[in-house]
Amino acid sequence: MPVPRCSGPCGGVRPAALRRPRTGGAVCRSCFCNAFEAEVLSTLQTGRLLPPGAVVAVGASGGKDSTVLAHVLRALDARHGLALDLHLVAVDEGIGGYRDAALAAVRRQAGRWRLPLTVVAYADLFGGWTMDEVARRAAQEPGRARACCTFCGVLRRRALEEGAQRVGATHIVTGHNADDMAETVLMNFLRGDSGRLARGGTLGSPGEGGALPRCRPLQFASQKEIVLYAHFQELDYFSEECVYAPEAFRGHVRDLLKALEAARPSVVLDLVHSAERLALAPAARPPPPGACTRCGALSSRSLCQACALLDGLNRGRPRLAIGKGRKGLGEEGEKQSCTSKDSSGGPSRAGAIQAF
Amino acid sequence: MKCKEGLPVLIIRAGDAFCKDCFKAYYVHKFRAMLGKNRLVFPGEKVLLAWSGGPSSSSMIWQVQEGLSRESAKRLRFVPGIIYIDEGAVCGQSPEERAKTVVEMKLILQTIAFPYHIVSLEEVFNLPTSVLQPVSQGPRGFENTYKEAVDGFIQQQQQQQQRAPEEGGGEAVLSDEQIQEKLRQLSTQDPVGQEEVAGDSLPRPAQTTALMTLFSSVKTLTAREELLQTLRAHLILHVARVQGYTKVMLGDSCTRLAIKLMTNLALGRGAFLAWDTGFSDDRHGDVVMLRPMRDYTLKEIAFYNRMFGVPSVFTPAIDTKAPEKASIHRLMESFILRLQAQFPSTISTVYRTSEKLVKAPRNGDAAGAATARCLLCMCALDIDSTDSATAFGAQTLERLAQKLSPAPVLPTGAPGRPCCTKGTRLQPGCCRDTRPSSEREEPRASFIEQLCYSCRVNMKDVPFLEPFPPYILMESQCRSQRAWEKQEVQEFLFEESEEEALHPLGFSPQF
């Protein structure tokens, strides 16, 4: 079967190299890369996400999303003079056999692109707790799921914030793509997390209290296109999944999303559109944020979630800050606070990566 | 266990054991509480019950019947009617099978003794365009009005009792007599009513063919399912309006609504979830759709129907026997049911979250009556072309980039063609020129413009506009004509004042 000519702006000069997943149009390599970069630029510009002169901390995990993000930001900065000062911030959760290999990839990238790299480790930041330790602790608790992802997500954001402060950043960017956003909105409904739904999923958070503004330049890019882009640009990234991923609740939703995409290719953006337009009762919104009494970070309660989780871990009750039972938080003493809802609250607790 | 004396026969929700009587009391109480809490059904009001033959709607009708009967304490006070829509044509049933189903339905309907209307889906080809025009209702203070209405009703009853004491007998209140009389009248009128909507006899073959053409031209099962729901809603609305019903009760259960919510998320209907899955759906203005069964899980309904012998008829639906991956509806249904088996709180969690949804535009911008409504689903349009920092904006950009290259260079400003270059923001009004012209693409482009996001996505699977029922096409033309007229005189108009904003459709420039 003859390869069709490119239908992009080059006017068919080159043969098509791929078919764009969403629109189905056949384009050549350079038209695709240009289009992809243009779309990211458009997201940045129309959302006014990164003003000129911003010091940007790029959350780099070594995976495809953050690799593509760093590469595109670098290219756009060079080409369009966005005047961005890019720094790579990598987080070491202490997951053996996974994170060390990923970090090696990040180091290679930092060397290749000549971007300053900062690595923040959980063990240093959170009093010796690594994810492997947390997983061991959480597994001892009777309960349906391990809830590792809950810990990891909360602590990682804290660590990212810390790393960004260290390099003097004004903005944090992460590589969340449209598929992530779609999965998140589905998960929030399944968990009943009206607070997060009400916060308004897209366009990141403007940064309140002491927290830095965060955004996701890739949020309208589909995962498939990110992979294609990385392939065509021959980017070096780390592609294995986290050791704890198979138990995560997000896995269910991810499989659903894949099946939905087969039935209707535009479903990812349709979900993002739905998330943008949700209207929740004002009572469902979380209270205006204050500061954590322990570490001073942004928090809507007296203790920020990171401190609350660590508190639970340190006291030998890992599920303390997870779920509805919050009695005993910030206090000394042995009070039984695991409510009956907790044991059946599988989907609410495990594998929930916070939306911003 | 509540009464601690009867034998438990049923366990709901892992931990609640019920004996037969307690279960019945619990079930009936839920129905009453749902109606009573929302206070939307006024005494003496005519309510249309939508019956599909399935367990949920059958249970609903049974509850209404029991609630209206004299023996029950605190009788329900409205005037019911039943509508059954025969969708056999699109579900692949032959005329003989459809006739057989209708006969079965009638057997049950006759035992219920409410007036009923049997309408076939082919009737959509006879609908008027008024179906698509929302009737704006003046603001009502619900609390006061409901209380006043109930008080007024009770007063009326008492007055009538005093006026003609010899007719009353013990408990029998004249209002009840009136209700029964009304039912009898409606029943005798019924054959006439049926003929009006051509329910009794099977529809004309030409209409059946037209319907089949429409549905077979739709490429995906997802879009077909959505189209069916739209047409069904329009038909029910029309029958309700014609027969004077001001409320419609739909039999959606908690389980189905949870699935519907997630499905609608995936279809891009996040803005309208409160209307699609809430208790009351007032998008049509004069006729309000209610969902009194929304608190019951399918399990409860199934057990109740079995234990108390509620009759129901099985009819195949459009996606019966379709493979699991065939449509978004199917996928979501199997996903939620599977997840529910693993995490038993899934459906109730989704239900609780859905209760927190409100019917408001997200940023509280334009007033409800002033914004345009989608042509098909009648919800306020949720597309903001000026805001490109959204999913819709990103898609528009992709489409423009796609469209520009293969087509030859066209003069800018030509109606219906993109006139902005790749990468620039979409200027309002440039590619949305709805000037009527003789070009073939034009009706489709202006049709699409009148739809909300999810209806637009559905239309991608519908290649031709012609098979649509005439009322939709006519209304679309009418709206685009009106929009063009308005654009023509735009420069001469002052800003719309408050009163004008309340009646946009009543205002048409006279030439």
Side-chain angles (χ1 to χ4, degrees), chain B residues 440-461:
Chain B
R440 211 184 317 124
E441 255 196 43
E442 206 43 55
R444 191 182 169 89
S446 51
F447 187 83
I448 303 271
E449 285 300 318
Q450 294 156 3
L451 300 177
C452 66
Y453 183 94
S454 63
C455 292
R456 287 191 199 196
V457 176
N458 283 337
M459 283 305 291
K460 281 197 212 152
D461 294 335

PDB file of all heavy atoms in Angstrom, chain B residues 440-461:
ATOM      1  N   ARG B 440     -23.327  23.421  -0.661  1.00  0.00           N
ATOM      2  CA  ARG B 440     -23.857  22.216  -0.051  1.00  0.00           C
ATOM      3  C   ARG B 440     -23.435  22.076   1.404  1.00  0.00           C
ATOM      4  O   ARG B 440     -24.156  21.588   2.237  1.00  0.00           O
ATOM      5  CB  ARG B 440     -23.386  20.988  -0.824  1.00  0.00           C
ATOM      6  CG  ARG B 440     -24.388  19.845  -0.783  1.00  0.00           C
ATOM      7  CD  ARG B 440     -23.868  18.598  -1.480  1.00  0.00           C
ATOM      8  NE  ARG B 440     -23.206  18.873  -2.734  1.00  0.00           N
ATOM      9  CZ  ARG B 440     -21.955  18.485  -3.000  1.00  0.00           C
ATOM     10  NH1 ARG B 440     -21.265  17.813  -2.121  1.00  0.00           N
ATOM     11  NH2 ARG B 440     -21.402  18.766  -4.162  1.00  0.00           N
ATOM     12  N   GLU B 441     -22.224  22.521   1.713  1.00  0.00           N
ATOM     13  CA  GLU B 441     -21.718  22.310   3.069  1.00  0.00           C
ATOM     14  C   GLU B 441     -22.384  23.228   4.065  1.00  0.00           C
ATOM     15  O   GLU B 441     -22.352  22.988   5.246  1.00  0.00           O
ATOM     16  CB  GLU B 441     -20.219  22.614   3.085  1.00  0.00           C
ATOM     17  CG  GLU B 441     -19.384  21.362   3.151  1.00  0.00           C
ATOM     18  CD  GLU B 441     -17.955  21.692   3.546  1.00  0.00           C
ATOM     19  OE1 GLU B 441     -17.784  22.502   4.460  1.00  0.00           O
ATOM     20  OE2 GLU B 441     -17.055  21.147   2.905  1.00  0.00           O
ATOM     21  N   GLU B 442     -22.966  24.304   3.572  1.00  0.00           N
ATOM     22  CA  GLU B 442     -23.412  25.356   4.466  1.00  0.00           C
ATOM     23  C   GLU B 442     -24.442  24.913   5.502  1.00  0.00           C
ATOM     24  O   GLU B 442     -24.288  25.205   6.672  1.00  0.00           O
ATOM     25  CB  GLU B 442     -23.957  26.511   3.630  1.00  0.00           C
ATOM     26  CG  GLU B 442     -23.872  27.834   4.349  1.00  0.00           C
ATOM     27  CD  GLU B 442     -22.562  28.022   5.064  1.00  0.00           C
ATOM     28  OE1 GLU B 442     -21.510  27.904   4.434  1.00  0.00           O
ATOM     29  OE2 GLU B 442     -22.594  28.230   6.289  1.00  0.00           O
ATOM     30  N   PRO B 443     -25.512  24.188   5.108  1.00  0.00           N
ATOM     31  CA  PRO B 443     -26.503  23.794   6.120  1.00  0.00           C
ATOM     32  C   PRO B 443     -25.871  22.976   7.225  1.00  0.00           C
ATOM     33  O   PRO B 443     -26.216  23.127   8.393  1.00  0.00           O
ATOM     34  CB  PRO B 443     -27.519  22.953   5.333  1.00  0.00           C
ATOM     35  CG  PRO B 443     -27.309  23.305   3.921  1.00  0.00           C
ATOM     36  CD  PRO B 443     -25.903  23.736   3.773  1.00  0.00           C
ATOM     37  N   ARG B 444     -24.901  22.135   6.861  1.00  0.00           N
ATOM     38  CA  ARG B 444     -24.287  21.311   7.880  1.00  0.00           C
ATOM     39  C   ARG B 444     -23.459  22.166   8.828  1.00  0.00           C
ATOM     40  O   ARG B 444     -23.522  22.012  10.040  1.00  0.00           O
ATOM     41  CB  ARG B 444     -23.403  20.247   7.224  1.00  0.00           C
ATOM     42  CG  ARG B 444     -22.969  19.231   8.236  1.00  0.00           C
ATOM     43  CD  ARG B 444     -22.071  18.181   7.662  1.00  0.00           C
ATOM     44  NE  ARG B 444     -21.508  17.409   8.745  1.00  0.00           N
ATOM     45  CZ  ARG B 444     -22.092  16.331   9.257  1.00  0.00           C
ATOM     46  NH1 ARG B 444     -23.236  15.911   8.782  1.00  0.00           N
ATOM     47  NH2 ARG B 444     -21.535  15.686  10.259  1.00  0.00           N
ATOM     48  N   ALA B 445     -22.719  23.104   8.264  1.00  0.00           N
ATOM     49  CA  ALA B 445     -21.871  23.938   9.115  1.00  0.00           C
ATOM     50  C   ALA B 445     -22.720  24.742  10.088  1.00  0.00           C
ATOM     51  O   ALA B 445     -22.401  24.832  11.274  1.00  0.00           O
ATOM     52  CB  ALA B 445     -21.020  24.865   8.261  1.00  0.00           C
ATOM     53  N   SER B 446     -23.817  25.321   9.575  1.00  0.00           N
ATOM     54  CA  SER B 446     -24.631  26.115  10.497  1.00  0.00           C
ATOM     55  C   SER B 446     -25.372  25.229  11.476  1.00  0.00           C
ATOM     56  O   SER B 446     -25.625  25.624  12.616  1.00  0.00           O
ATOM     57  CB  SER B 446     -25.601  27.014   9.730  1.00  0.00           C
ATOM     58  OG  SER B 446     -26.322  26.258   8.798  1.00  0.00           O
ATOM     59  N   PHE B 447     -25.722  24.021  11.069  1.00  0.00           N
ATOM     60  CA  PHE B 447     -26.349  23.064  11.985  1.00  0.00           C
ATOM     61  C   PHE B 447     -25.406  22.769  13.138  1.00  0.00           C
ATOM     62  O   PHE B 447     -25.794  22.816  14.313  1.00  0.00           O
ATOM     63  CB  PHE B 447     -26.671  21.788  11.208  1.00  0.00           C
ATOM     64  CG  PHE B 447     -27.458  20.774  11.969  1.00  0.00           C
ATOM     65  CD1 PHE B 447     -28.830  20.870  12.060  1.00  0.00           C
ATOM     66  CD2 PHE B 447     -26.831  19.700  12.582  1.00  0.00           C
ATOM     67  CE1 PHE B 447     -29.571  19.925  12.747  1.00  0.00           C
ATOM     68  CE2 PHE B 447     -27.558  18.753  13.271  1.00  0.00           C
ATOM     69  CZ  PHE B 447     -28.927  18.867  13.354  1.00  0.00           C
ATOM     70  N   ILE B 448     -24.155  22.490  12.796  1.00  0.00           N
ATOM     71  CA  ILE B 448     -23.184  22.155  13.829  1.00  0.00           C
ATOM     72  C   ILE B 448     -23.001  23.318  14.793  1.00  0.00           C
ATOM     73  O   ILE B 448     -22.857  23.135  16.000  1.00  0.00           O
ATOM     74  CB  ILE B 448     -21.836  21.783  13.191  1.00  0.00           C
ATOM     75  CG1 ILE B 448     -22.009  20.628  12.219  1.00  0.00           C
ATOM     76  CG2 ILE B 448     -20.798  21.458  14.232  1.00  0.00           C
ATOM     77  CD1 ILE B 448     -21.877  19.273  12.805  1.00  0.00           C
ATOM     78  N   GLU B 449     -23.027  24.521  14.262  1.00  0.00           N
ATOM     79  CA  GLU B 449     -22.827  25.690  15.107  1.00  0.00           C
ATOM     80  C   GLU B 449     -23.882  25.818  16.198  1.00  0.00           C
ATOM     81  O   GLU B 449     -23.659  26.448  17.217  1.00  0.00           O
ATOM     82  CB  GLU B 449     -22.881  26.975  14.252  1.00  0.00           C
ATOM     83  CG  GLU B 449     -21.659  27.199  13.428  1.00  0.00           C
ATOM     84  CD  GLU B 449     -20.425  27.317  14.272  1.00  0.00           C
ATOM     85  OE1 GLU B 449     -20.473  27.980  15.317  1.00  0.00           O
ATOM     86  OE2 GLU B 449     -19.409  26.716  13.895  1.00  0.00           O
ATOM     87  N   GLN B 450     -25.053  25.233  15.937  1.00  0.00           N
ATOM     88  CA  GLN B 450     -26.141  25.400  16.896  1.00  0.00           C
ATOM     89  C   GLN B 450     -26.141  24.321  17.969  1.00  0.00           C
ATOM     90  O   GLN B 450     -27.071  24.244  18.766  1.00  0.00           O
ATOM     91  CB  GLN B 450     -27.481  25.356  16.153  1.00  0.00           C
ATOM     92  CG  GLN B 450     -27.649  26.537  15.230  1.00  0.00           C
ATOM     93  CD  GLN B 450     -28.602  26.240  14.113  1.00  0.00           C
ATOM     94  OE1 GLN B 450     -29.189  25.161  14.056  1.00  0.00           O
ATOM     95  NE2 GLN B 450     -28.740  27.179  13.205  1.00  0.00           N
ATOM     96  N   LEU B 451     -25.114  23.476  17.966  1.00  0.00           N
ATOM     97  CA  LEU B 451     -25.099  22.362  18.901  1.00  0.00           C
ATOM     98  C   LEU B 451     -24.103  22.593  20.021  1.00  0.00           C
ATOM     99  O   LEU B 451     -23.117  23.307  19.866  1.00  0.00           O
ATOM    100  CB  LEU B 451     -24.721  21.068  18.174  1.00  0.00           C
ATOM    101  CG  LEU B 451     -25.638  20.649  17.047  1.00  0.00           C
ATOM    102  CD1 LEU B 451     -25.085  19.393  16.397  1.00  0.00           C
ATOM    103  CD2 LEU B 451     -27.036  20.386  17.555  1.00  0.00           C
ATOM    104  N   CYS B 452     -24.351  21.907  21.157  1.00  0.00           N
ATOM    105  CA  CYS B 452     -23.395  21.946  22.237  1.00  0.00           C
ATOM    106  C   CYS B 452     -22.236  21.001  21.905  1.00  0.00           C
ATOM    107  O   CYS B 452     -22.275  20.290  20.913  1.00  0.00           O
ATOM    108  CB  CYS B 452     -24.059  21.518  23.542  1.00  0.00           C
ATOM    109  SG  CYS B 452     -24.564  19.792  23.537  1.00  0.00           S
ATOM    110  N   TYR B 453     -21.236  21.015  22.748  1.00  0.00           N
ATOM    111  CA  TYR B 453     -20.016  20.253  22.486  1.00  0.00           C
ATOM    112  C   TYR B 453     -20.299  18.774  22.227  1.00  0.00           C
ATOM    113  O   TYR B 453     -19.837  18.201  21.238  1.00  0.00           O
ATOM    114  CB  TYR B 453     -19.084  20.412  23.687  1.00  0.00           C
ATOM    115  CG  TYR B 453     -17.754  19.731  23.538  1.00  0.00           C
ATOM    116  CD1 TYR B 453     -16.647  20.412  23.066  1.00  0.00           C
ATOM    117  CD2 TYR B 453     -17.595  18.392  23.872  1.00  0.00           C
ATOM    118  CE1 TYR B 453     -15.433  19.793  22.936  1.00  0.00           C
ATOM    119  CE2 TYR B 453     -16.387  17.769  23.736  1.00  0.00           C
ATOM    120  CZ  TYR B 453     -15.304  18.470  23.273  1.00  0.00           C
ATOM    121  OH  TYR B 453     -14.097  17.851  23.149  1.00  0.00           O
ATOM    122  N   SER B 454     -21.063  18.146  23.119  1.00  0.00           N
ATOM    123  CA  SER B 454     -21.231  16.703  22.966  1.00  0.00           C
ATOM    124  C   SER B 454     -22.093  16.362  21.761  1.00  0.00           C
ATOM    125  O   SER B 454     -21.841  15.360  21.082  1.00  0.00           O
ATOM    126  CB  SER B 454     -21.831  16.087  24.223  1.00  0.00           C
ATOM    127  OG  SER B 454     -23.103  16.609  24.446  1.00  0.00           O
ATOM    128  N   CYS B 455     -23.092  17.196  21.460  1.00  0.00           N
ATOM    129  CA  CYS B 455     -23.886  16.932  20.263  1.00  0.00           C
ATOM    130  C   CYS B 455     -23.021  17.087  19.019  1.00  0.00           C
ATOM    131  O   CYS B 455     -23.185  16.359  18.039  1.00  0.00           O
ATOM    132  CB  CYS B 455     -25.101  17.858  20.204  1.00  0.00           C
ATOM    133  SG  CYS B 455     -26.311  17.499  21.493  1.00  0.00           S
ATOM    134  N   ARG B 456     -22.079  18.026  19.057  1.00  0.00           N
ATOM    135  CA  ARG B 456     -21.177  18.171  17.916  1.00  0.00           C
ATOM    136  C   ARG B 456     -20.325  16.918  17.734  1.00  0.00           C
ATOM    137  O   ARG B 456     -20.093  16.464  16.612  1.00  0.00           O
ATOM    138  CB  ARG B 456     -20.225  19.353  18.123  1.00  0.00           C
ATOM    139  CG  ARG B 456     -20.896  20.671  17.986  1.00  0.00           C
ATOM    140  CD  ARG B 456     -19.894  21.787  17.941  1.00  0.00           C
ATOM    141  NE  ARG B 456     -20.554  23.033  18.264  1.00  0.00           N
ATOM    142  CZ  ARG B 456     -20.044  24.229  18.021  1.00  0.00           C
ATOM    143  NH1 ARG B 456     -18.860  24.325  17.457  1.00  0.00           N
ATOM    144  NH2 ARG B 456     -20.690  25.311  18.348  1.00  0.00           N
ATOM    145  N   VAL B 457     -19.831  16.402  18.843  1.00  0.00           N
ATOM    146  CA  VAL B 457     -19.004  15.202  18.736  1.00  0.00           C
ATOM    147  C   VAL B 457     -19.833  14.052  18.169  1.00  0.00           C
ATOM    148  O   VAL B 457     -19.354  13.264  17.348  1.00  0.00           O
ATOM    149  CB  VAL B 457     -18.431  14.829  20.119  1.00  0.00           C
ATOM    150  CG1 VAL B 457     -17.659  13.550  20.039  1.00  0.00           C
ATOM    151  CG2 VAL B 457     -17.531  15.934  20.618  1.00  0.00           C
ATOM    152  N   ASN B 458     -21.108  13.956  18.595  1.00  0.00           N
ATOM    153  CA  ASN B 458     -21.974  12.918  18.046  1.00  0.00           C
ATOM    154  C   ASN B 458     -22.176  13.100  16.560  1.00  0.00           C
ATOM    155  O   ASN B 458     -22.206  12.129  15.795  1.00  0.00           O
ATOM    156  CB  ASN B 458     -23.352  12.953  18.728  1.00  0.00           C
ATOM    157  CG  ASN B 458     -23.300  12.332  20.093  1.00  0.00           C
ATOM    158  OD1 ASN B 458     -22.424  11.528  20.385  1.00  0.00           O
ATOM    159  ND2 ASN B 458     -24.232  12.723  20.935  1.00  0.00           N
ATOM    160  N   MET B 459     -22.312  14.338  16.136  1.00  0.00           N
ATOM    161  CA  MET B 459     -22.583  14.598  14.724  1.00  0.00           C
ATOM    162  C   MET B 459     -21.427  14.193  13.833  1.00  0.00           C
ATOM    163  O   MET B 459     -21.586  14.014  12.636  1.00  0.00           O
ATOM    164  CB  MET B 459     -22.895  16.087  14.504  1.00  0.00           C
ATOM    165  CG  MET B 459     -24.284  16.484  14.930  1.00  0.00           C
ATOM    166  SD  MET B 459     -25.561  15.501  14.141  1.00  0.00           S
ATOM    167  CE  MET B 459     -25.426  16.073  12.474  1.00  0.00           C
ATOM    168  N   LYS B 460     -20.255  14.057  14.420  1.00  0.00           N
ATOM    169  CA  LYS B 460     -19.127  13.605  13.604  1.00  0.00           C
ATOM    170  C   LYS B 460     -19.411  12.217  13.049  1.00  0.00           C
ATOM    171  O   LYS B 460     -18.885  11.835  12.007  1.00  0.00           O
ATOM    172  CB  LYS B 460     -17.853  13.536  14.451  1.00  0.00           C
ATOM    173  CG  LYS B 460     -17.205  14.851  14.673  1.00  0.00           C
ATOM    174  CD  LYS B 460     -15.772  14.660  15.146  1.00  0.00           C
ATOM    175  CE  LYS B 460     -15.413  15.798  16.073  1.00  0.00           C
ATOM    176  NZ  LYS B 460     -14.396  15.440  17.056  1.00  0.00           N
ATOM    177  N   ASP B 461     -20.241  11.459  13.766  1.00  0.00           N
ATOM    178  CA  ASP B 461     -20.555  10.102  13.308  1.00  0.00           C
ATOM    179  C   ASP B 461     -21.778  10.064  12.414  1.00  0.00           C
ATOM    180  O   ASP B 461     -22.205   8.988  12.008  1.00  0.00           O
ATOM    181  CB  ASP B 461     -20.820   9.199  14.526  1.00  0.00           C
ATOM    182  CG  ASP B 461     -19.579   9.010  15.368  1.00  0.00           C
ATOM    183  OD1 ASP B 461     -18.469   9.144  14.813  1.00  0.00           O
ATOM    184  OD2 ASP B 461     -19.723   8.728  16.560  1.00  0.00           O
TER     185      ASP B 461
END
